[in-house]
Amino acid sequence: MRVGVLSLQGAFREHLAVLDSLGVATRKVTRPEHLENIDSIILPGGESSAMVRIAATTELFPVLGEKISAGLPVFGTCAGLILLADRLTDASLDGFDRLGGLDVTVARNAYGRQRESFCAPVQVTGLDGAFDATFIRAPQILDLGTGVEVLSKYAAVPVLVRQGNIWGGSFHPELGSDMRIHEEFLHSLGATV
C-alpha cells in the first residue's frame, strides 16, 4: 500500500513521519502526476487558504477531486477537513477549487485563534481509551448529511467523521506519539500495520 500525503503546506511532514513509523510506503503529492499509483491520500492541517492558492497553479485539485469521487480513500485533518467539506459557512475560499465529497458543513477557525489552541481527550469509536486531540485554529463540523458517521465528539460536537472512504477530523492526530487514528484509517482500507 502507498499513501499519498498532500504536501503543499502545513503538517505534511508530521503525517509522513507517522506513516513511516508504521512501515507504510508514502509519496509527497504536490502535482497531479503524483496521484498515480497511490492507494489513499491524507490531507494535512495547515492554512486552507494557502493550500487552495498553491494548488490553483498546478490543477491538482480538479484531478484529485475526480479521484476521490471515483473512490480514492482520503483522510483530511483540520485544513484537510475544510478542503473536503461540501459546505463552508464563509466565502473565504470562494473562487478556488476545493475537493468536496464529505457531506458536512464546516466553520473555519471555529475553535479560536492560534493562541487559543488546546489539547483535549476524546473518545474515538474503535479505540480503547481516550485519544489526546490537538486543536489548532480548528474547524468545527456544524451539520452532517445522513450518510456521515460520527467517530468522535468533543463537547457534544462531532470532531471525527467518516462517510464511506472519506474521513475528516477537526484536530491534528499526527501531533504526538499516539498513532491509533492513522492505524484505524489504514485498517479501514484493509492494510495491516
Side-chain angles (χ1 to χ4, degrees):
M1 170 171 287
R2 181 177 302 279
V3 178
V5 177
L6 184 68
S7 301
L8 301 174
Q9 186 272 344
F12 64 90
R13 289 175 194 87
E14 290 81 355
H15 280 287
L16 289 164
V18 169
L19 294 168
D20 183 56
S21 69
L22 292 172
V24 176
T26 59
R27 173 179 295 145
K28 290 181 181 179
V29 174
T30 59
R31 305 187 55 76
E33 56 268 24
H34 299 155
L35 297 169
E36 296 303 318
N37 302 315
I38 61 169
D39 300 295
S40 65
I41 189 164
I42 292 178
L43 312 177
E47 179 50 55
S48 57
S49 59
M51 290 180 188
V52 297
R53 284 173 173 80
I54 295 167
T57 66
T58 67
E59 295 298 315
L60 173 61
F61 282 3
V63 176
L64 178 53
E66 288 174 16
K67 288 191 175 288
I68 292 169
S69 293
L72 180 70
V74 58
F75 183 13
T77 64
C78 199
L81 167 65
I82 293 166
L83 298 175
L84 289 171
D86 282 346
R87 298 168 300 280
L88 299 178
T89 59
D90 68 10
S92 60
L93 302 182
D94 286 358
F96 292 96
D97 288 322
R98 286 187 312 109
L99 300 168
L102 184 59
D103 190 8
V104 296
T105 303
V106 167
R108 295 175 71 239
N109 305 326
Y111 285 99
R113 302 186 132 172
Q114 189 83 19
R115 67 177 174 267
E116 295 158 332
S117 299
F118 64 97
C119 291
V122 296
Q123 297 299 317
V124 178
T125 300
L127 300 186
D128 292 330
F131 184 92
D132 288 327
T134 302
F135 295 82
I136 302 172
R137 293 179 59 213
Q140 188 173 72
I141 301 169
L142 301 177
D143 181 54
L144 306 169
T146 55
V148 179
E149 175 187 4
V150 176
L151 300 176
S152 184
K153 292 182 178 183
Y154 171 73
V157 175
V159 294
L160 182 64
V161 297
R162 173 175 59 201
Q163 181 180 357
N165 282 336
I166 301 175
W167 290 47
S170 295
F171 56 91
H172 289 261
E174 75 283 5
L175 301 179
S177 59
D178 192 338
M179 297 178 269
R180 293 179 296 159
I181 291 180
H182 285 81
E183 290 173 344
E184 284 299 305
F185 174 65
L186 295 167
H187 289 156
S188 76
L189 307 176
T192 56
V193 289

